[in-house]
Amino acid sequence: MTERFDCYYCRDNLHGKKYVMKDEKHVCTKCFDKLCANTCVECRRPIGADAKELNHKNRHWHEECFRCAKCYKPLANEPFGARDDGKIMCGTCGSREDGNRCQACYKVVMPGTQNVEYKNKVWHEECFTCFECKQPIRSQSFLNKGDDIFCGPCHEKKFAKKCFHCKQPITTGGISYQDQPWHSECFVCHTCRKGLAGTRFTSHEEHVYCVDCYKTSVAKQCNGCKNPITGFGHGTNVVNYEGHSWHEYCFNCKKCSLSLANKRFVINGEDIYCPDCAKKL
């Protein structure tokens, strides 16, 4: 006698019939569809024993119901993503919904497209442009001023210090004189055009001179020693009297050599005397 092989629920004999194993129990297809089948989250109908079932994170679909919530593309054999609200989307629609948006045009930056990331923000490559000239930055270097982006040339033109002499931007190096910026190559002697950066120099009537040119072309001549009064080093103090000039150390009594700087003196021709020596003349 053959052992009975029945449905767990209706006790119908299953010999020669189609059945389903459910929790280690034999169930006929009729009882399975009525009592055991999962409900499709899309159409809300049971997923019968004869239907193809897809599941994801304890949720179930008929194969034909597993589609993108946006474009309705079948996703049974396609990559997909599940959103926080439970919707299933294809890769393209998911990127459009959840992807980063360009800071310029506010459209989604699709995965795989050329883009620029800067300070945790993203732009389409063609949208990442100079604030001044509006040209795409692409592979150029750039600088920012606040929230604005500038290409190198525009930043130099707009913000770089300009040389006091040639009025062109100073991009590297440079020197400062009397609170004015200069290119090193522009800061030269007014007479011989020799560069003055890193050397001793002096100024006269808004022009700068090297020591040699100042001595020969500009400096007054000491009425005592007949040498230029340059103001460099020893003898920086000068005595001026009636159109004549002396180094302070040359302003001495002709007879006794007493220094007469800040003292009373008597002048006789081109010679100076202390009052005592002047009485003896």
Side-chain angles (χ1 to χ4, degrees), residues 11-265:
R11 298 304 178 183
D12 279 355
N13 192 317
L14 298 177
H15 280 294
K17 297 179 181 179
K18 187 175 181 179
Y19 66 90
V20 180
M21 288 293 295
K22 179 68 174 178
D23 298 329
E24 299 184 356
K25 300 178 180 66
H26 302 88
V27 183
C28 68
T29 55
K30 185 178 179 179
C31 289
F32 179 87
D33 290 350
K34 183 178 180 180
L35 302 173
C36 303
N38 293 313
T39 301
C40 175
V41 298
E42 182 65 24
C43 67
R44 304 298 178 184
R45 295 195 302 270
I47 304 173
D50 293 328
K52 289 186 177 180
E53 179 178 341
L54 299 178
N55 59 78
H56 176 68
K57 292 185 177 180
N58 296 320
R59 301 168 72 213
H60 308 272
W61 291 262
H62 293 103
E63 182 183 49
E64 61 274 16
C65 292
F66 194 66
R67 298 174 297 177
C68 174
K70 195 78 174 177
C71 68
Y72 304 108
K73 176 183 178 180
L75 298 177
N77 299 305
E78 299 290 338
F80 64 91
R83 291 167 52 86
D84 293 338
D85 59 5
K87 292 181 180 179
I88 300 297
M89 288 192 181
C90 65
T92 301
C93 292
S95 296
R96 287 173 178 164
E97 290 290 315
D98 300 325
N100 291 320
R101 292 189 177 273
C102 174
Q103 294 297 303
C105 69
Y106 301 107
K107 295 179 180 178
V108 173
V109 179
M110 297 298 292
T113 59
Q114 294 292 326
N115 63 79
V116 177
E117 292 187 21
Y118 178 62
K119 289 187 175 181
N120 298 319
K121 297 178 181 179
V122 65
W123 289 259
H124 295 110
E125 186 180 55
E126 63 274 13
C127 292
F128 192 67
T129 60
C130 172
F131 182 79
E132 189 73 9
C133 68
K134 309 304 180 186
Q135 295 301 307
I137 300 293
R138 301 193 189 281
S139 60
Q140 299 180 67
S141 61
F142 64 89
L143 300 98
N144 70 300
K145 195 74 171 179
D147 292 330
D148 299 325
I149 303 297
F150 295 86
C151 65
C154 286
H155 187 273
E156 289 177 5
K157 182 178 179 181
K158 193 173 183 67
F159 300 109
K161 292 182 178 180
K162 291 182 171 56
C163 175
F164 182 73
H165 175 70
C166 70
K167 312 305 180 188
Q168 295 302 308
I170 300 174
T171 57
T172 57
I175 62 174
S176 178
Y177 175 64
Q178 294 184 339
D179 296 326
Q180 298 290 352
W182 298 66
H183 289 115
S184 296
E185 58 271 24
C186 291
F187 195 67
V188 298
C189 174
H190 181 67
T191 301
C192 70
R193 315 310 295 172
K194 180 174 71 175
L196 298 178
T199 66
R200 292 201 306 170
F201 65 91
T202 190
S203 63
H204 179 70
E205 295 180 352
E206 297 185 358
H207 297 300
V208 288
Y209 298 87
C210 66
V211 174
D212 292 337
C213 289
Y214 184 77
K215 287 179 179 179
T216 58
S217 305
V218 181
K220 293 180 179 180
Q221 189 180 66
C222 176
N223 208 49
C225 69
K226 308 305 180 185
N227 290 321
I229 301 174
T230 63
F232 298 111
H234 179 56
T236 56
N237 293 328
V238 180
V239 178
N240 295 299
Y241 180 72
E242 291 187 355
H244 297 290
S245 300
W246 291 260
H247 295 108
E248 186 181 78
Y249 58 82
C250 293
F251 196 65
N252 303 322
C253 176
K254 175 73 173 179
K255 189 170 182 63
C256 70
S257 299
L258 176 71
S259 175
L260 298 176
N262 301 314
K263 296 178 182 177
R264 294 179 62 191
F265 62 90

